[in-house]
Amino acid sequence: MITLRQLEFALAVAKHRHFKRAAEDCSISQSALSLGIAELERQLDTQIFERNNKQVLITPIGQEILTRAQRIFSEVNDLTSRAHSHQTPLAYPMTVGIIPTIAPYLLPKVLPALRAQYPNFRMTIIEQQTERLLEQVRYGHIDTAIIALPYAVDGLHTFEFWAEDFFAVFPKDDVHAKLETINADELATANLMLLGEGHCLTDQTLSVCDFDREQMKSSFSDASLNTLIQMALANMGTTLVPEMALDQLHLENQNSVAVPLAESGPHRHIAFVTRLNYARVDDVNLLGELFKKAFEDDASHNKQ
């Protein structure tokens, strides 16, 4: 009889393409993992992996088996979640993915309220770029993800809970810091620095400002948003930050000025993303309402 544990071993090997790292991921010895894979292949009478001392390859039939195994795992995870869904809200742990241009600014605003209202709720945070998070949601590796829209999310549910604008960052002595708003042409002449390929903040900036991707390629950077902010404050250009980052920006950089974009907003929408058949939709909706309230309270406090 094929076991879920054997399928877990095979999926780990496919993920890492390395037996030792797969064994560490599964918290077992490498020999035990190898025996489990061998038994799985024996019961299926099929070779899933080609392996030697240098590499691990997946056979064509092995790829089909692994794709089905991943669907099985996703269904099992959803089955477990469904079994707990009748319990007290947020009574069961949840793994939430968050993109890097949201996580450091959202979490300080929402975690205190979450902890106060649901002190026993356990939430694991995974921080990665949007495409990788959506893949993990689809395959059931994580429960849900918080991303910025617009973004292609075919085959997934989205639950929007916030919308915001972008701001350009300058030091106080920069001529642009005196502007009430800044338009796309002014951004281009101010040496706009953008995050690297794959960051949705860059894609959304290009769309909002109607920039040509080829013309802006020299502005793409592998640096983090925080690094681009420090470069902007050192008079090396400017970068865009989301509205939720302004508190932290001014707290950590008293020399900073954030100038609103002239282009009409909101420039991005913040949403939870889940699978269509995800069993804990009520919990995701609850988190969305709680996070929205935390943002509203924060905005109200800043106006006082």
Side-chain angles (χ1 to χ4, degrees), residues 83-261:
H84 291 85
S85 63
H86 68 283
Q87 299 177 357
T88 304
L90 300 180
Y92 193 63
M94 184 178 288
T95 300
V96 180
I98 312 180
I99 61 175
T101 58
I102 290 180
Y105 314 117
L106 175 142
L107 293 177
K109 298 179 187 297
V110 303
L111 288 184
L114 179 61
R115 190 179 302 113
Q117 296 184 44
Y118 299 94
N120 297 321
F121 175 57
R122 288 183 293 159
M123 183 169 65
T124 300
I125 301 298
I126 304 295
E127 188 175 338
Q128 292 179 342
Q129 291 186 25
T130 306
E131 190 59 37
R132 177 62 178 145
L133 290 180
L134 295 181
E135 177 185 342
Q136 293 193 62
V137 169
R138 287 189 174 97
Y139 285 121
H141 292 162
I142 62 178
D143 293 285
T144 184
I146 298 174
I147 67 169
L149 304 174
Y151 199 93
V153 289
D154 299 340
L156 296 171
H157 275 313
T158 59
F159 303 87
E160 182 183 331
F161 64 90
W162 195 247
E164 61 179 1
D165 293 331
F166 295 153
F167 292 74
V169 177
F170 298 99
K172 289 182 178 179
D173 60 359
D174 190 286
V175 63
H176 298 92
K178 299 177 177 60
L179 296 174
E180 291 187 7
T181 62
I182 186 167
N183 61 37
D185 291 338
E186 291 166 327
L187 280 175
T189 60
N191 185 31
L192 178 61
M193 300 175 291
L194 299 175
L195 294 168
E197 296 278 5
H199 286 276
C200 61
L201 182 60
T202 292
D203 294 333
Q204 289 154 3
T205 297
L206 295 175
S207 176
V208 168
C209 298
D210 197 25
F211 286 137
D212 182 83
R213 180 175 292 273
E214 290 302 316
Q215 291 180 340
M216 294 298 295
K217 268 193 173 180
S218 61
S219 297
F220 293 167
S221 169
D222 288 330
S224 67
L225 180 57
N226 186 59
T227 298
L228 294 186
I229 290 172
Q230 298 309 313
M231 293 172 65
L233 295 179
N235 292 297
M236 298 178 67
T238 187
T239 193
L240 296 188
V241 299
E243 190 171 353
M244 67 171 66
L246 294 184
D247 292 349
Q248 189 170 323
L249 170 68
H250 296 315
L251 180 64
E252 297 178 354
N253 305 278
Q254 296 183 1
N255 183 44
S256 64
V257 173
V259 180
L261 294 192

Side-chain angles (χ1 to χ4, degrees), residues 9 12-25 30 33 49 51-57:
F9 293 166
V13 172
K15 174 183 177 182
H16 295 283
R17 301 299 177 100
H18 194 281
F19 273 67
K20 182 179 179 181
R21 287 195 291 270
E24 292 171 351
D25 196 10
Q30 185 174 340
L33 180 133
F49 300 106
R51 55 269 209 191
N52 54 41
N53 292 332
K54 294 184 179 180
Q55 61 183 345
V56 176
L57 300 176

